Amino acid sequence: MSGHDHGEDGVSRRKVLECMTWAGTGVLWTITGGVPRSLGIIDSAQAATAAASGMTFLQISDSHVGFDKPANPNALGTLEEAVNKINAMPAKPSFMIHTGDITHLSKAAEFDNAERIISQSKLDVHYVPGEHDFLDEDVKFYRERYGRGTKGAGWYSFDAGGVHFIGLVNVVDLKAGGLGNLGAEQLAWLEDDLRGKSKSTPIVLFAHIPLWTVYPEWGWGTEDGGRALEYVKGFGSVTVLNGHIHQVMQKVEGNVTFHTARSTAFPQPAPGTAPSPGPMKVEDARLRSMLGVASINFKQNEQRLAIIDTPLQG
């Protein structure tokens, strides 16, 4: 995004992104026809007003239940903080999306603990797996809980509020360097799933690893993600939600807006600022400003999506 590209409020998109990523400030994004317009840095009252204007849903990601290393010795506790923040929202969201790495080691007890905390939100939750959810033999723990009614390794679609949602799985058969992979079977299903859909239908794709290439040296991208994006290029409004990198990044390509979410467990370094990705230890006072959730708003008949990133603190 260009630093000279301004929204109507005069705040440059680059500056807004810097505030959102490093200061942990909530920012509202309105997406019209696939092009985002920043409405500026907002407070909780403004966020509540925006959320009440249309259908809203939440994105949560990378809870890594079971993680207990110095970067966050209590990942279950910060997940619970995130759920408490959700429960305190003035306008109840329609549902929640979890973009993977529910657990850290795919243990049954970790899935049980995650369900115990997330269920406290009393929201319908739509999951896709992260690579950390597929570590057990036969991937049975994820499949037993979240795989029923899905296709292949767990992909599926549903409609809500005039929006078509598509959950994709790109953590099977990872490619060189850890790049994500969708595979021919899933891509064929995606093409068929979109066939016959009106081009005016807003589309939301969600998967764990970014479908766009963030930083291939760290495996932050999906090798065949471009194939999936070809199938949605004719739609007027497309939003792609991912996790995996534990930090907020956004970009726009034509009609497609890409958004990655914070983790509720621990931050990771910005691309290229460390020898490798992984849990990043920060001062205890800064940790919760680098964790959080995202709220997305859709207003019927306006093809509008607004993204509000909310840190646990700050």
Side-chain angles (χ1 to χ4, degrees):
M1 290 183 181
S2 168
H4 301 289
D5 193 358
H6 290 68
E8 291 179 9
D9 58 0
V11 180
S12 76
R13 289 179 184 167
R14 177 175 294 174
K15 185 64 177 175
V16 167
L17 285 172
E18 288 172 355
C19 291
M20 182 166 56
T21 304
W22 300 114
T25 306
V27 176
L28 176 65
W29 287 85
T30 297
I31 302 173
T32 304
V35 179
R37 176 171 67 88
S38 169
L39 299 183
I41 299 169
I42 60 172
D43 61 26
S44 58
Q46 289 171 303
T49 300
S53 66
M55 186 197 80
T56 62
F57 67 94
L58 279 159
Q59 180 190 7
I60 193 170
S61 197
D62 295 271
S63 43
H64 284 273
V65 170
F67 182 85
D68 60 0
K69 301 298 186 291
N72 182 2
N74 187 15
L76 187 64
T78 49
L79 172 62
E80 188 164 25
E81 289 180 40
V83 171
N84 289 339
K85 214 167 186 57
I86 292 165
N87 288 336
M89 292 178 69
K92 185 178 177 65
S94 297
F95 56 88
M96 188 191 307
I97 283 173
H98 194 305
T99 44
D101 282 352
I102 306 157
T103 68
H104 194 60
L105 296 173
S106 300
K107 294 181 178 178
E110 293 175 349
F111 281 109
D112 290 343
N113 283 333
E115 179 62 25
R116 176 172 57 83
I117 298 301
I118 294 172
S119 66
Q120 292 173 15
S121 69
K122 296 181 171 59
L123 293 174
D124 186 20
V125 186
H126 301 273
Y127 292 89
V128 287
E131 74 279 9
H132 283 263
D133 300 317
F134 272 16
L135 296 177
D136 60 301
E137 189 176 358
D138 301 325
V139 198
K140 68 176 184 178
F141 295 135
Y142 179 89
R143 291 184 192 277
E144 286 174 355
R145 287 165 174 78
Y146 312 117
R148 291 176 186 151
T150 64
K151 307 290 185 183
W155 54 84
Y156 60 97
S157 66
F158 65 96
D159 295 286
V163 181
H164 187 60
F165 293 83
I166 304 171
L168 299 174
V169 178
N170 57 358
V171 296
V172 177
D173 188 25
L174 298 179
K175 299 305 179 182
L179 284 171
N181 178 58
L182 295 165
E185 181 185 359
Q186 185 171 195
L187 287 166
W189 170 85
L190 175 62
E191 183 179 24
D192 184 64
D193 180 74
L194 291 167
R195 189 174 289 117
K197 291 281 186 300
S198 168
K199 298 303 181 184
S200 64
T201 303
I203 302 293
V204 173
L205 300 176
F206 60 104
H208 180 62
I209 299 174
L211 291 175
W212 53 292
T213 303
V214 175
Y215 198 66
E217 292 86 347
W218 286 358
W220 287 3
T222 299
E223 186 180 63
D224 52 1
R227 292 269 310 280
L229 298 174
E230 280 291 312
Y231 298 143
V232 296
K233 68 180 181 181
F235 290 85
S237 175
V238 180
T239 305
V240 180
L241 303 178
N242 301 118
H244 189 59
I245 70 173
H246 296 215
Q247 57 201 278
V248 171
M249 287 191 178
Q250 288 188 327
K251 79 163 185 169
V252 180
E253 284 187 0
N255 63 325
V256 183
T257 297
F258 301 84
H259 179 90
T260 62
R262 291 181 177 93
S263 165
T264 66
F266 55 83
Q268 292 200 78
T273 62
S276 63
M280 181 174 70
K281 179 74 173 81
V282 298
E283 297 90 344
D284 291 346
R286 289 183 60 213
L287 176 62
R288 283 162 178 78
S289 71
M290 302 181 76
L291 310 178
V293 300
S295 174
I296 298 91
N297 179 61
F298 172 69
K299 191 171 182 180
Q300 187 69 37
N301 300 323
E302 291 193 14
Q303 292 191 346
R304 214 174 237 206
L305 290 177
I307 298 173
I308 304 167
D309 284 286
T310 307
L312 294 187
Q313 176 181 303

Coordinates of all heavy atoms in Angstrom, one line a residue, residues 19-81:
C19 N 0.2 1.9 13.1 CA -0.5 2.0 14.4 C -1.1 0.6 14.8 O -1.0 0.2 16.0 CB -1.6 3.0 14.4 SG -1.0 4.7 14.2
M20 N -1.8 0.0 13.9 CA -2.5 -1.2 14.1 C -1.5 -2.3 14.5 O -1.8 -3.1 15.5 CB -3.3 -1.7 12.9 CG -4.1 -2.9 13.1 SD -5.3 -3.1 11.8 CE -4.2 -3.0 10.3
T21 N -0.4 -2.4 13.8 CA 0.6 -3.5 14.1 C 1.4 -3.3 15.3 O 1.6 -4.2 16.1 CB 1.5 -3.7 12.8 OG1 0.7 -3.9 11.7 CG2 2.4 -4.9 13.0
W22 N 1.9 -2.1 15.5 CA 2.9 -1.9 16.5 C 2.3 -1.4 17.8 O 2.7 -1.7 18.9 CB 4.0 -1.1 16.0 CG 4.7 -1.7 14.9 CD1 4.7 -1.3 13.6 CD2 5.3 -3.0 14.8 NE1 5.4 -2.2 12.8 CE2 5.8 -3.2 13.5 CE3 5.6 -3.9 15.8 CZ2 6.4 -4.4 13.1 CZ3 6.3 -5.1 15.4 CH2 6.7 -5.3 14.1
A23 N 1.3 -0.5 17.7 CA 0.7 0.1 18.9 C -0.5 -0.7 19.4 O -0.9 -0.6 20.5 CB 0.3 1.5 18.7
G24 N -1.0 -1.7 18.6 CA -2.1 -2.5 19.0 C -3.4 -1.8 19.1 O -4.3 -2.1 19.8
T25 N -3.5 -0.7 18.3 CA -4.8 0.1 18.3 C -5.8 -0.5 17.4 O -5.5 -0.9 16.3 CB -4.5 1.5 17.8 OG1 -3.4 2.0 18.7 CG2 -5.6 2.4 18.0
G26 N -7.1 -0.5 17.8 CA -8.2 -1.0 17.0 C -8.4 -0.1 15.8 O -8.4 1.2 15.9
V27 N -8.5 -0.6 14.6 CA -8.7 0.1 13.4 C -9.9 -0.4 12.6 O -10.0 -1.7 12.5 CB -7.5 0.1 12.5 CG1 -7.7 0.9 11.2 CG2 -6.3 0.8 13.2
L28 N -10.8 0.4 12.1 CA -11.9 0.0 11.3 C -11.6 0.1 9.9 O -11.2 1.1 9.4 CB -13.1 0.9 11.7 CG -14.4 0.6 10.9 CD1 -14.9 -0.8 11.2 CD2 -15.4 1.7 11.2
W29 N -11.8 -1.0 9.2 CA -11.7 -1.0 7.7 C -13.0 -1.3 7.0 O -13.7 -2.3 7.4 CB -10.7 -2.1 7.3 CG -9.3 -1.8 7.6 CD1 -8.6 -2.0 8.8 CD2 -8.3 -1.2 6.7 NE1 -7.3 -1.6 8.7 CE2 -7.1 -1.1 7.5 CE3 -8.3 -0.8 5.4 CZ2 -5.9 -0.5 6.9 CZ3 -7.2 -0.2 4.9 CH2 -6.0 -0.1 5.6
T30 N -13.4 -0.5 6.1 CA -14.6 -0.7 5.3 C -14.2 -1.1 3.9 O -13.3 -0.5 3.3 CB -15.4 0.6 5.2 OG1 -15.8 1.0 6.5 CG2 -16.7 0.4 4.4
I31 N -14.7 -2.3 3.5 CA -14.3 -2.8 2.2 C -15.5 -2.6 1.2 O -16.6 -3.2 1.4 CB -13.9 -4.3 2.3 CG1 -12.7 -4.4 3.2 CG2 -13.5 -4.8 0.9 CD1 -12.3 -5.8 3.5
T32 N -15.4 -1.8 0.2 CA -16.4 -1.6 -0.8 C -15.9 -2.1 -2.2 O -14.9 -1.5 -2.6 CB -16.9 -0.2 -0.9 OG1 -17.2 0.2 0.5 CG2 -18.0 0.0 -1.8
G33 N -16.5 -3.1 -2.8 CA -16.0 -3.5 -4.1 C -14.6 -4.1 -4.0 O -13.9 -4.0 -5.0
G34 N -14.2 -4.6 -2.8 CA -12.9 -5.2 -2.7 C -11.8 -4.2 -2.4 O -10.7 -4.6 -2.2
V35 N -12.1 -2.9 -2.3 CA -11.1 -1.9 -2.0 C -11.4 -1.3 -0.6 O -12.4 -0.8 -0.3 CB -11.2 -0.7 -3.0 CG1 -10.1 0.3 -2.7 CG2 -11.0 -1.3 -4.4
P36 N -10.4 -1.4 0.3 CA -10.6 -1.0 1.7 C -10.4 0.6 1.8 O -9.6 1.2 1.2 CB -9.5 -1.7 2.5 CG -8.4 -1.8 1.5 CD -9.1 -2.0 0.2
R37 N -11.2 1.1 2.7 CA -11.1 2.5 3.1 C -11.0 2.6 4.6 O -11.9 2.2 5.3 CB -12.3 3.3 2.6 CG -12.2 4.8 3.0 CD -13.3 5.6 2.3 NE -14.7 5.2 2.8 CZ -15.3 5.7 3.8 NH1 -14.7 6.6 4.6 NH2 -16.5 5.3 4.2
S38 N -9.9 3.1 5.1 CA -9.7 3.2 6.5 C -10.6 4.3 7.1 O -10.6 5.4 6.6 CB -8.2 3.5 6.9 OG -8.1 3.8 8.2
L39 N -11.3 4.0 8.1 CA -12.1 5.0 8.8 C -11.4 5.5 10.0 O -11.9 6.3 10.8 CB -13.4 4.4 9.3 CG -14.3 3.9 8.2 CD1 -15.6 3.4 8.7 CD2 -14.6 5.0 7.1
G40 N -10.1 5.2 10.1 CA -9.3 5.8 11.2 C -9.2 5.0 12.4 O -9.8 3.9 12.6
I41 N -8.4 5.5 13.4 CA -8.3 4.8 14.6 C -9.5 5.1 15.4 O -10.0 6.2 15.6 CB -7.0 5.4 15.4 CG1 -5.8 5.1 14.5 CG2 -6.9 4.8 16.7 CD1 -4.6 5.8 15.0
I42 N -10.1 4.0 16.0 CA -11.4 4.1 16.6 C -11.3 3.7 18.1 O -10.5 2.9 18.5 CB -12.5 3.3 15.9 CG1 -12.1 1.8 15.9 CG2 -12.7 3.8 14.5 CD1 -13.2 0.9 15.3
D43 N -12.3 4.1 18.9 CA -12.4 3.7 20.3 C -13.5 2.6 20.3 O -14.2 2.3 19.4 CB -12.6 4.8 21.2 CG -13.9 5.6 20.9 OD1 -14.8 5.0 20.4 OD2 -14.0 6.8 21.3
S44 N -13.7 2.1 21.5 CA -14.6 1.0 21.7 C -16.1 1.4 21.4 O -16.9 0.6 20.9 CB -14.5 0.4 23.1 OG -14.8 1.4 24.1
A45 N -16.4 2.6 21.7 CA -17.8 3.1 21.4 C -18.0 3.2 20.0 O -19.1 2.8 19.5 CB -18.0 4.5 22.1
Q46 N -17.1 3.7 19.2 CA -17.2 3.7 17.7 C -17.3 2.3 17.2 O -18.1 2.1 16.2 CB -16.1 4.5 17.1 CG -16.1 6.0 17.4 CD -14.8 6.7 16.9 OE1 -13.7 6.3 17.3 NE2 -14.9 7.6 16.1
A47 N -16.5 1.4 17.7 CA -16.5 0.1 17.2 C -17.9 -0.6 17.4 O -18.4 -1.3 16.6 CB -15.4 -0.8 17.9
A48 N -18.4 -0.3 18.6 CA -19.7 -0.9 18.9 C -20.8 -0.4 18.0 O -21.7 -1.1 17.5 CB -20.1 -0.6 20.4
T49 N -20.7 0.9 17.7 CA -21.7 1.5 16.7 C -21.6 0.9 15.4 O -22.6 0.5 14.7 CB -21.5 3.0 16.6 OG1 -21.6 3.6 17.9 CG2 -22.5 3.7 15.7
A50 N -20.3 0.7 14.9 CA -20.1 0.1 13.6 C -20.6 -1.4 13.6 O -21.3 -1.8 12.6 CB -18.7 0.1 13.2
A51 N -20.4 -2.1 14.7 CA -20.8 -3.5 14.8 C -22.3 -3.7 14.7 O -22.8 -4.7 14.2 CB -20.2 -4.1 16.0
A52 N -23.0 -2.7 15.3 CA -24.4 -2.8 15.4 C -25.1 -2.5 14.1 O -26.3 -2.7 14.0 CB -24.9 -1.8 16.5
S53 N -24.4 -2.0 13.1 CA -25.0 -1.5 11.9 C -25.3 -2.7 10.9 O -25.9 -2.5 9.9 CB -24.2 -0.5 11.2 OG -22.9 -1.0 10.8
G54 N -24.8 -3.9 11.1 CA -25.0 -5.0 10.2 C -24.6 -6.3 10.8 O -24.3 -6.4 12.0
M55 N -24.5 -7.3 10.0 CA -24.1 -8.6 10.5 C -22.6 -8.6 10.8 O -21.8 -8.1 10.1 CB -24.3 -9.7 9.4 CG -23.9 -11.1 9.9 SD -23.7 -12.3 8.5 CE -22.0 -11.9 8.1
T56 N -22.3 -9.1 12.0 CA -20.9 -9.1 12.4 C -20.5 -10.6 12.7 O -21.3 -11.4 13.1 CB -20.6 -8.3 13.7 OG1 -21.4 -8.8 14.7 CG2 -21.0 -6.8 13.4
F57 N -19.2 -10.8 12.5 CA -18.6 -12.1 13.0 C -17.2 -11.8 13.4 O -16.6 -10.8 13.1 CB -18.7 -13.2 11.9 CG -17.8 -12.9 10.7 CD1 -16.5 -13.5 10.6 CD2 -18.3 -12.2 9.6 CE1 -15.7 -13.3 9.5 CE2 -17.5 -12.0 8.5 CZ -16.2 -12.5 8.5
L58 N -16.7 -12.7 14.3 CA -15.4 -12.6 14.8 C -14.4 -13.6 14.2 O -14.8 -14.7 13.9 CB -15.4 -12.9 16.3 CG -15.9 -11.7 17.2 CD1 -16.4 -12.3 18.5 CD2 -14.8 -10.7 17.4
Q59 N -13.2 -13.2 14.1 CA -12.1 -14.1 13.8 C -11.2 -14.2 15.0 O -10.8 -13.2 15.6 CB -11.2 -13.6 12.6 CG -10.1 -14.6 12.3 CD -9.1 -14.0 11.3 OE1 -9.2 -12.8 10.9 NE2 -8.2 -14.8 10.8
I60 N -10.9 -15.4 15.4 CA -9.9 -15.7 16.4 C -8.9 -16.7 15.8 O -9.2 -17.5 14.9 CB -10.6 -16.3 17.7 CG1 -9.7 -16.3 18.9 CG2 -11.2 -17.7 17.4 CD1 -10.4 -16.6 20.2
S61 N -7.7 -16.7 16.3 CA -6.7 -17.5 15.6 C -5.5 -17.9 16.6 O -5.2 -17.2 17.5 CB -6.1 -16.8 14.4 OG -5.4 -17.7 13.5
D62 N -4.9 -19.0 16.3 CA -3.6 -19.4 16.9 C -3.7 -19.3 18.4 O -2.9 -18.7 19.1 CB -2.5 -18.5 16.3 CG -2.3 -18.8 14.8 OD1 -1.5 -19.6 14.5 OD2 -2.9 -18.1 14.0
S63 N -4.6 -20.1 19.0 CA -4.7 -20.1 20.4 C -3.7 -21.0 21.1 O -3.4 -20.8 22.2 CB -6.1 -20.5 20.9 OG -6.6 -21.6 20.1
H64 N -3.1 -22.0 20.3 CA -2.0 -22.8 20.8 C -2.2 -23.3 22.2 O -1.3 -23.2 23.0 CB -0.7 -22.0 20.7 CG -0.2 -21.9 19.3 ND1 0.6 -22.8 18.7 CD2 -0.4 -20.9 18.3 CE1 0.9 -22.5 17.4 NE2 0.3 -21.3 17.2
V65 N -3.4 -23.8 22.5 CA -3.6 -24.3 23.8 C -2.6 -25.5 24.1 O -2.5 -26.4 23.3 CB -5.1 -24.8 24.0 CG1 -5.3 -25.6 25.3 CG2 -6.0 -23.6 23.9
G66 N -2.0 -25.4 25.2 CA -0.9 -26.3 25.6 C 0.5 -25.7 25.5 O 1.4 -26.2 26.1
F67 N 0.6 -24.6 24.9 CA 1.9 -23.8 24.9 C 2.2 -23.3 26.2 O 1.3 -22.7 26.9 CB 1.8 -22.7 23.8 CG 3.2 -22.0 23.7 CD1 4.2 -22.4 22.9 CD2 3.4 -20.8 24.4 CE1 5.4 -21.8 22.7 CE2 4.6 -20.1 24.3 CZ 5.6 -20.6 23.4
D68 N 3.4 -23.5 26.7 CA 3.7 -23.0 28.1 C 5.2 -22.4 28.2 O 5.7 -22.4 29.3 CB 3.5 -24.1 29.1 CG 4.4 -25.3 28.9 OD1 5.1 -25.3 27.9 OD2 4.3 -26.3 29.6
K69 N 5.7 -22.0 27.1 CA 7.1 -21.6 27.1 C 7.2 -20.1 27.5 O 6.2 -19.4 27.6 CB 7.7 -21.8 25.7 CG 7.7 -23.2 25.2 CD 8.6 -24.1 26.1 CE 8.7 -25.5 25.6 NZ 7.5 -26.3 25.6
P70 N 8.4 -19.5 27.6 CA 8.5 -18.2 28.2 C 7.8 -17.1 27.4 O 7.4 -16.1 28.0 CB 10.1 -17.9 28.1 CG 10.7 -19.3 28.2 CD 9.7 -20.2 27.5
A71 N 7.6 -17.3 26.1 CA 6.8 -16.3 25.3 C 5.4 -16.0 25.9 O 4.9 -15.0 25.7 CB 6.8 -16.7 23.8
N72 N 4.8 -17.1 26.5 CA 3.6 -17.0 27.2 C 3.3 -18.3 28.0 O 2.8 -19.2 27.4 CB 2.4 -16.7 26.3 CG 1.1 -16.6 27.0 OD1 1.0 -16.6 28.2 ND2 0.0 -16.4 26.2
P73 N 3.7 -18.3 29.2 CA 3.5 -19.5 30.0 C 2.1 -20.0 30.2 O 1.8 -21.1 30.7 CB 4.2 -19.2 31.4 CG 5.0 -18.0 31.1 CD 4.3 -17.2 30.0
N74 N 1.1 -19.1 29.9 CA -0.3 -19.4 30.1 C -1.1 -19.1 28.9 O -2.0 -18.2 28.9 CB -0.8 -18.6 31.4 CG -2.2 -19.1 31.8 OD1 -2.7 -20.1 31.3 ND2 -2.8 -18.2 32.6
A75 N -1.0 -19.8 27.8 CA -1.7 -19.5 26.6 C -3.2 -19.8 26.8 O -4.0 -19.1 26.2 CB -1.2 -20.4 25.4
L76 N -3.6 -20.7 27.7 CA -5.0 -21.0 27.9 C -5.6 -19.8 28.6 O -6.7 -19.4 28.4 CB -5.1 -22.2 28.8 CG -6.6 -22.7 29.0 CD1 -7.2 -23.1 27.7 CD2 -6.6 -23.9 30.0
G77 N -4.8 -19.1 29.5 CA -5.3 -18.0 30.2 C -5.6 -16.8 29.3 O -6.6 -16.1 29.4
T78 N -4.7 -16.5 28.3 CA -4.9 -15.4 27.4 C -6.0 -15.7 26.4 O -6.7 -14.8 26.0 CB -3.6 -15.0 26.7 OG1 -3.0 -16.2 26.1 CG2 -2.6 -14.4 27.6
L79 N -6.2 -17.0 26.1 CA -7.4 -17.4 25.3 C -8.7 -17.0 26.1 O -9.6 -16.5 25.5 CB -7.4 -18.9 25.0 CG -8.7 -19.4 24.3 CD1 -8.9 -18.7 22.9 CD2 -8.6 -20.9 24.1
E80 N -8.7 -17.3 27.4 CA -9.8 -17.0 28.2 C -10.1 -15.5 28.3 O -11.2 -15.0 28.2 CB -9.7 -17.6 29.6 CG -11.0 -17.5 30.4 CD -11.0 -18.4 31.6 OE1 -9.9 -18.8 32.1 OE2 -12.1 -18.8 32.1
E81 N -9.0 -14.7 28.3 CA -9.1 -13.3 28.3 C -9.8 -12.8 27.0 O -10.6 -11.9 27.0 CB -7.7 -12.6 28.5 CG -7.1 -12.8 29.9 CD -5.8 -12.1 30.0 OE1 -5.6 -11.0 29.4 OE2 -4.9 -12.7 30.6

